[in-house]
Amino acid sequence: MKPGEKWIGRCSRAVRSISTNLVFIQEPLFRLILVFSTNSLGMRMRIWKIPDQVIRLAILIVIALAVLIVVRLQFIPASFGEIGHYRADALKEEAALTLHYAGMQACVMCHDDIGMIKAASYHRNLACESCHGPSLEHVDDPGEFSPVVVTGRTLCVRCHGYLASRPTGFPQIIEAIHNPMAPCTECHDPHDPTPPEVPEDCSACHAEIARTKAVSHHWSLSCETCHEAAPEHRQSPRAFLPKKPTEREFCGQCHGQGSQRSASAPRVDLSEHGGRYLCWQCHYPHHPEGR
Amino acid sequence: MPKDWKRREFLAKFIKLPCAAMVFGVGAAGDGEAAEEGPYQAEDHLYAMGIQVDRCIGCGLCAEACKNENDVLKEPFFFRTWIERYSIRVDGEVDVDSPGGGIGGFPPLAEGSEVMRSFFVPKLCNQCDKPPCVQVCPVGATFKTEDGVILVDESYCIGCRYCVQACPYGARYIDPRTLTADKCTFCYHRIIKGLQPACVEVCPTQTRVFGELGRRSSPLHRMKRQSSIQVLKPAMNTEPKVLYSNLDGEVR
Amino acid sequence: MSELLEHLEANLQQVTGYIYPNEIELHWSLLVVIYPYVTGLVAGAFILASLVEVFKVKEVASTYRLALLTALAFLIAAPLPLLAHLGHPERSFQIFLTPHLRSAMAMFGFVYIWYLMLVLLLEIWFEYRADMVRWSSERRGVMKLLYWVLSLGSRDLSEKAVRFDRKAVYAITLVGIPSAFLLHGYVGFIFGSIKANPWWSSVLMPIVFLFSAIVSGIALVLLLHYVTTMFRRVKPDMACFNKLASFLMYALIIDLSLETLDFIHRMYESEESIEILAELVITKLFISLTIVQLLLGTIVPIVLLAIGRFSRIPDEFKRVVFFIAALLVQVGIFSTRWNVVIGGQLFSKSLRGLTVFKMQLGGIEGLFMGIALLILPFVLLWILVKLLPPWDKQEAN
């Protein structure tokens, strides 16, 4: 066989295979043209004994489906469905969003001196940017951008102002009576906020209890009457917890039937009243309910 | 100042870095583990957040930082995270408020109401393991990533708002600039780089603990070991990945 | 955007109790009320039409074609409010590109296309084919061409071909009844499947939607039949009116029973949400639910229809009574949709507070837009009636 003939053979085979495949497209197309171009023919069309109108509808539906499939292929985003039923590129876009907060580790890389001081203070768990604001720009270009320098009282009071809902023991002040108008930093170093003097009053930290007690029948009792507190409690509150009364007789000193103290205190028979419970397990001593 | 800065840069880069990392290695990458080598592999992670309710002081720094970090509109109708204050009165009545999402702080409790107990609860998208919002999205514009975070594809969302309706926690809103759904992403752009979410970073009392489920020796794991854990609206069977410790039953 | 912020600011002032801060914006408003209302009319009108075709209810046969065209006109208009309420209408086609198969809303595309293309259009095409062929040969100019295109060039008027048309219509109606149930049951499912919302989350929701759809569809056809009879100055077909009124009354009674069942069930189960829902019903929804939906939209029409059916009053008077009842039913069903869609968003998912809905006049979500969208299907219907007169055949008979 000559090379030329071989090529002719290949070509003709290709043409034949294309034309056989084309039949699938050709036939409906041909029919379509036929149907829509000649009315008289259309009336007589009975292919495979399917009614004429059904064929016409079928062609229309096939065309619509074909268009739908093409449109689908054309418009579905490329990365859709790579991982799940979503655009995988969305993850990259999300990951590329701008950061604003640098994180404490970035700060202490340069400000190691302040970091060291703060790490040993009550503010050890407080991040730099909690007060100084988002500072990644500063990390990137320290000369151009400066973080916020806190002055005044507003920011400190946001955490340390008295609110009844705050957890007991969290140091809180009543802004109006705690050195009014003076900026906090005048007395307190925010990087090492141990109070300038060890608090004299329990109320410096236990503001909520102090407020409650102040308006209760127990207003005249000092905290130490009931709570024996080691002096170290003022420096390390959680390591040296104050004590609570452990016996009913303690309250009985005033409230027992034989008591000689304050006549206005209600008296109970300790042997009958309250059973096996300690007094403060039912009565809240900072705000006793008795009238 | 530039001279001083150079010194600091030098120190930071060559001497103090390992040392500083040792001293200040607080909670980086959520679990205090060293940053991983090689490209980020989503399937190796499963992020979660712990909220230690009894530590929250309601300062609102978290909600504010969230708006800064994620370019959320400042108006008080669009929140990725917010803080609620609960006060339960002696007669059992419950008052809840969240003025401005808690960002401006909270006013004192109303005088005269006899409050039995009161506390703050930070709220955010619960990053549910079975998210109703993803279930209802008609086009696949909101989805759960392999590392367990629910994200919104801003350029694919059609703005039908069905996800907002489906979220039991009110965690979603429509950003009026893009008219697409938006919500907390756990600061996805931060966490995959080993940083903490902005709210966790600035929380002054460690109320918020970020970490990964299934990783031992982490603050989150410690929290789960030491406290009673609750999720919001467990009856919804959404299996949240935001875990609350010592949560009050009144919180919804 | 500033307008939205002002609007939200005003809403914030009227919140009672506690709502999540993101809930101050009400996400689905008037347009989403209109959508289930219009779809309900479609399903209802079609179910009425299929009564004729499948159950051979001869009395209402004269409304068959009108009901079909009504269904079509309203179906074409149905997705428009949905489209208009989207934040990105230009992306709506994504529902067809990447439908999320677990989303009830993604199924909208399929249910809608199925119903429009394969049920309603097909049925109408087979029903009108012979007529269109005839009109195409009778008319001149553009109309000739139009009918020729509409009939897809079909010419066959042989008895065999016409008989095939009738069989096709019958078969399609058989498929169409469950499809119409699906279309509107599915709209109910969109709301009923939201577990986060106790006002919506109910297994009865699709069924209640379906029966209220049937009610509204029958009432609409009754109204249209009344109006067209009047304008065409033909003798009113009293048997038809009576039958329509009976169907309407039965459907209303079923609808009322279902709603009552839903109500009793909720009260008896008395779940966590009952207190806030009770407050919602007593305060914010009192007028639209108790007065409009229940009293004016359901009980009064049932009484009117019963009077019309069972008392001996003159026919002209009877028709007016039916007309008023049908009109009230429309108002009632519209407020049913309102109470579901808007009511479901007036309380917080924290179950601790209520918010308000204030309708705007202008804008895409406004009142004027809503009215326009409600008028549109009637314009479409008018065009369809001009194009495919539903009475030719009957008068030829």
Side-chain angles (χ1 to χ4, degrees):
Chain A
M1 202 191 284
K2 282 179 193 171
E5 283 176 344
K6 205 167 148 189
W7 277 108
I8 292 168
R10 270 187 196 172
C11 287
S12 62
R13 265 201 302 280
V15 166
R16 224 177 298 141
S17 77
I18 290 170
S19 57
T20 42
N21 283 332
L22 264 182
V23 166
F24 290 104
I25 312 164
Q26 248 176 0
E27 230 183 56
L29 262 183
F30 174 70
R31 242 177 252 151
L32 184 73
I33 295 163
L34 218 62
V35 163
F36 281 95
S37 58
T38 54
N39 290 338
S40 54
L41 249 182
M43 208 186 294
R44 266 179 268 132
M45 288 266 296
R46 284 289 162 102
I47 301 152
W48 306 316
K49 289 188 178 168
I50 296 174
D52 166 71
Q53 57 264 54
V54 175
I55 294 168
R56 286 165 197 275
L57 277 174
I59 292 167
L60 197 69
I61 289 169
V62 167
I63 292 172
L65 281 178
V67 168
L68 187 74
I69 288 166
V70 170
V71 167
R72 262 191 70 121
L73 291 176
Q74 200 63 37
F75 284 100
I76 293 182
S79 70
F80 201 97
E82 268 174 23
I83 312 173
H85 191 81
Y86 56 93
R87 228 164 40 90
D89 284 350
L91 287 176
K92 290 179 200 143
E93 288 158 23
E94 192 73 43
L97 289 177
T98 323
L99 298 160
H100 294 90
Y101 284 85
M104 194 156 79
Q105 282 185 314
C107 307
V108 297
M109 276 188 191
C110 298
H111 302 284
D112 52 309
D113 43 354
I114 296 172
M116 290 286 223
I117 297 170
K118 196 170 77 66
S121 80
Y122 282 123
H123 275 176
R124 68 180 87 87
N125 285 329
L126 183 62
C128 310
E129 288 161 306
S130 299
C131 304
H132 294 294
S135 303
L136 188 66
E137 281 185 330
H138 171 72
V139 173
D140 290 341
D141 190 352
E144 191 65 29
F145 300 98
S146 302
V148 179
V149 178
V150 182
T151 54
R153 296 160 71 96
T154 326
L155 185 77
C156 305
V157 166
R158 243 172 105 170
C159 294
H160 292 293
Y162 170 72
L163 273 183
S165 316
R166 292 199 160 139
T168 302
F170 186 81
Q172 296 162 63
I173 56 142
I174 293 166
E175 199 200 346
I177 56 171
H178 184 94
N179 301 326
M181 310 299 285
C184 304
T185 48
E186 216 169 273
C187 307
H188 307 272
D189 176 5
H191 296 130
D192 185 14
T194 314
E197 293 143 36
V198 173
E200 284 174 33
D201 280 343
C202 302
S203 65
C205 299
H206 303 284
E208 188 200 346
I209 293 175
R211 293 249 298 178
T212 317
K213 187 172 79 68
V215 296
S216 80
H217 288 282
H218 281 170
W219 63 273
S220 62
L221 300 182
S222 82
C223 302
E224 288 86 359
T225 310
C226 307
H227 299 286
E228 194 186 310
E232 293 87 345
H233 173 68
R234 300 182 185 201
Q235 278 85 25
S236 299
R238 288 187 197 274
F240 298 90
L241 290 173
K243 290 185 174 127
K244 296 173 181 178
T246 51
E247 291 168 341
R248 292 149 56 80
E249 284 68 31
F250 181 84
C251 300
Q253 289 170 25
C254 294
H255 296 289
Q257 258 168 347
S259 171
Q260 302 299 310
R261 304 219 189 141
S262 163
S264 62
R267 302 290 202 274
V268 292
D269 183 355
L270 287 181
S271 58
E272 283 179 6
H273 180 86
R276 61 194 174 90
Y277 293 104
L278 289 175
C279 307
W280 51 263
Q281 285 177 307
C282 301
H283 305 281
Y284 186 49
H286 301 133
H287 191 39
E289 63 271 22
R291 297 281 169 228
Chain B
M1 151 68 184
K3 199 180 159 194
D4 183 42
W5 170 248
K6 283 229 169 66
R7 180 190 73 92
R8 287 195 152 153
E9 203 168 32
F10 175 78
L11 286 177
K13 274 188 183 145
F14 298 105
I15 303 168
K16 291 288 174 71
L17 198 142
C19 165
M22 256 160 62
V23 177
F24 309 111
V26 214
D31 289 345
E33 295 202 356
E36 284 138 74
E37 301 295 322
Y40 178 78
Q41 296 291 334
E43 61 269 26
D44 297 341
H45 304 268
L46 190 59
Y47 295 111
M49 190 185 285
I51 310 271
Q52 309 191 54
V53 177
D54 43 13
R55 288 188 175 209
C56 184
I57 57 170
C59 65
L61 286 176
C62 50
E64 190 181 338
C66 173
K67 290 209 170 195
N68 287 334
E69 176 69 22
N70 297 298
D71 187 28
V72 178
L73 279 174
K74 297 287 185 282
E75 282 76 13
F77 316 109
F78 315 100
F79 291 94
R80 289 183 175 203
T81 182
W82 68 95
I83 303 113
E84 295 171 354
R85 171 169 66 183
Y86 284 72
S87 29
I88 291 107
R89 287 194 233 146
V90 176
D91 60 8
E93 280 291 302
V94 184
D95 296 317
V96 188
D97 62 343
S98 179
I103 286 183
F106 288 80
L109 286 177
E111 289 290 325
S113 56
E114 248 195 304
V115 173
M116 189 156 57
R117 61 181 192 275
S118 179
F119 50 87
F120 297 101
V121 183
K123 292 273 189 84
L124 68 159
C125 166
N126 282 268
Q127 310 288 358
C128 309
D129 198 43
K130 296 189 199 160
C133 54
V134 171
Q135 184 187 30
V136 302
C137 177
V139 295
T142 187
F143 53 92
K144 187 168 86 178
T145 63
E146 286 171 295
D147 32 19
V149 183
I150 316 299
L151 297 179
V152 181
D153 183 347
E154 187 188 290
S155 61
Y156 207 65
C157 172
I158 63 174
C160 70
R161 305 172 182 229
Y162 202 17
C163 56
V164 184
Q165 307 287 5
C167 174
Y169 305 104
R172 286 175 169 254
Y173 60 90
I174 295 290
D175 189 329
R177 292 167 298 188
T178 60
L179 291 175
T180 54
D182 200 19
K183 62 177 267 299
C184 162
T185 62
F186 266 175
C187 282
Y188 196 71
H189 58 303
R190 296 177 64 84
I191 58 176
I192 60 164
K193 298 183 181 84
L195 293 164
Q196 305 253 24
C199 56
V200 180
E201 174 70 27
V202 302
C203 176
T205 60
Q206 271 63 58
T207 298
R208 292 173 186 252
V209 183
F210 190 70
E212 295 186 33
L213 292 175
R215 270 215 193 165
R216 319 210 28 194
S217 62
S218 70
L220 184 67
H221 194 75
R222 181 168 182 273
M223 175 192 138
K224 285 171 72 179
R225 183 152 35 84
Q226 292 196 331
S227 349
S228 54
I229 298 294
Q230 180 62 282
V231 294
L232 294 177
K233 301 192 179 181
M236 289 285 156
N237 197 26
T238 52
E239 301 191 356
K241 288 201 286 292
V242 173
L243 311 171
Y244 287 81
S245 72
N246 305 324
L247 188 74
D248 195 277
E250 291 290 353
V251 178
R252 285 201 280 252
Chain C
M1 197 174 96
S2 61
E3 202 178 313
L4 172 76
L5 293 176
E6 268 171 42
H7 180 70
L8 294 179
E9 194 67 52
N11 276 6
L12 183 60
Q13 306 307 319
Q14 298 196 30
V15 168
T16 52
Y18 174 69
I19 71 171
Y20 296 134
N22 289 336
E23 287 180 326
I24 293 160
E25 182 175 3
L26 217 89
H27 287 280
W28 284 352
S29 62
L30 186 62
L31 296 186
V32 186
V33 178
I34 291 175
Y35 161 65
Y37 175 66
V38 171
T39 338
L41 293 174
V42 176
F46 183 84
I47 288 166
L48 181 67
S50 33
L51 284 177
V52 179
E53 194 54 39
V54 177
F55 302 107
K56 310 286 179 211
V57 183
K58 294 215 173 52
E59 291 91 333
V60 295
S62 58
T63 65
Y64 171 65
R65 284 184 159 197
L66 183 65
L68 274 188
L69 294 184
T70 308
L72 181 62
F74 278 81
L75 192 64
I76 293 171
L80 293 179
L82 271 196
L83 208 59
H85 113 282
L86 289 184
H88 287 272
E90 80 282 2
R91 294 181 190 164
S92 59
F93 69 98
Q94 288 167 2
I95 284 190
F96 296 107
L97 294 187
T98 58
H100 185 226
L101 298 180
R102 287 180 204 167
S103 163
M105 198 180 273
M107 290 305 108
F108 169 77
F110 296 102
V111 174
Y112 182 81
I113 290 290
W114 167 262
Y115 191 75
L116 175 71
M117 298 295 177
L118 290 175
V119 175
L120 211 46
L121 280 182
L122 266 190
E123 179 160 345
I124 291 176
W125 193 77
F126 277 114
E127 170 68 25
Y128 275 97
R129 194 193 62 87
D131 284 340
M132 288 192 293
V133 171
R134 232 179 288 125
W135 294 327
S136 161
S137 56
E138 286 165 8
R139 306 284 176 85
R140 290 280 161 267
V142 188
M143 290 312 280
K144 183 186 181 73
L145 191 70
L146 188 64
Y147 284 120
W148 182 74
V149 171
L150 283 180
S151 64
L152 299 176
S154 172
R155 281 281 154 272
D156 196 347
L157 279 175
S158 65
E159 193 188 323
K160 202 174 170 189
V162 173
R163 209 182 315 127
F164 182 83
D165 285 344
R166 299 264 22 108
K167 264 193 246 166
V169 168
Y170 183 77
I172 295 166
T173 314
L174 279 188
V175 182
I177 296 173
S179 301
F181 275 59
L182 183 69
L183 178 72
H184 208 62
Y186 144 85
V187 176
F189 189 79
I190 281 193
F191 295 97
S193 63
I194 296 297
K195 64 180 169 190
N197 190 318
W199 184 244
W200 291 346
S201 176
S202 160
V203 70
L204 271 183
M205 196 61 105
I207 303 175
V208 170
F209 261 62
L210 194 61
F211 275 93
S212 53
I214 294 173
V215 166
S216 68
I218 297 175
L220 180 70
V221 174
L222 197 152
L223 288 175
L224 287 171
H225 188 62
Y226 183 92
V227 173
T228 50
T229 312
M230 211 161 68
F231 277 100
R232 287 166 58 233
R233 294 165 200 281
V234 291
K235 188 174 160 290
D237 179 0
M238 213 48 217
C240 175
F241 274 112
N242 280 334
K243 205 73 192 171
L244 281 176
S246 306
F247 283 144
L248 182 57
M249 188 172 70
Y250 302 144
L252 262 175
I253 290 170
I254 296 176
D255 187 37
L256 178 65
S257 321
L258 285 170
E259 299 258 13
T260 314
L261 172 61
D262 188 51
F263 178 74
I264 293 172
H265 185 82
R266 279 169 192 277
M267 293 292 287
Y268 197 81
E269 275 201 345
S270 216
E271 290 183 345
E272 191 185 17
S273 57
I274 193 69
E275 278 170 40
I276 193 75
L277 294 187
E279 200 183 326
L280 174 77
V281 169
I282 293 166
T283 58
K284 308 265 175 189
L285 291 185
F286 183 74
I287 292 179
S288 63
L289 186 80
T290 315
I291 307 288
V292 182
Q293 180 187 332
L294 189 64
L295 196 67
L296 286 180
T298 313
I299 293 173
V300 173
I302 290 179
V303 173
L304 283 180
L305 290 169
I307 292 172
R309 283 299 284 122
F310 302 118
S311 68
R312 296 176 190 283
I313 50 175
D315 282 352
E316 299 88 60
F317 191 53
K318 225 181 216 183
R319 282 200 303 279
V320 173
V321 169
F322 292 157
F323 184 82
I324 293 170
L327 211 55
L328 283 176
V329 163
Q330 290 304 331
V331 175
I333 298 296
F334 186 84
S335 74
T336 309
R337 308 291 180 239
W338 174 280
N339 292 327
V340 170
V341 177
I342 303 295
Q345 301 172 82
L346 287 179
F347 65 95
S348 168
K349 286 178 196 147
S350 69
L351 310 180
R352 292 193 186 281
L354 299 175
T355 178
V356 287
F357 173 63
K358 269 194 254 135
M359 193 154 46
Q360 281 147 325
L361 288 181
I364 286 187
E365 301 267 334
L367 179 66
F368 297 134
M369 181 76 169
I371 293 173
L373 281 169
L374 281 178
I375 291 174
L376 180 71
F378 290 100
V379 176
L380 289 173
L381 180 61
W382 183 76
I383 296 172
L384 281 176
V385 168
K386 287 283 154 201
L387 203 59
L388 305 169
W391 300 288
D392 268 5
K393 194 169 119 185
Q394 167 202 345
E395 276 161 6
N397 289 347

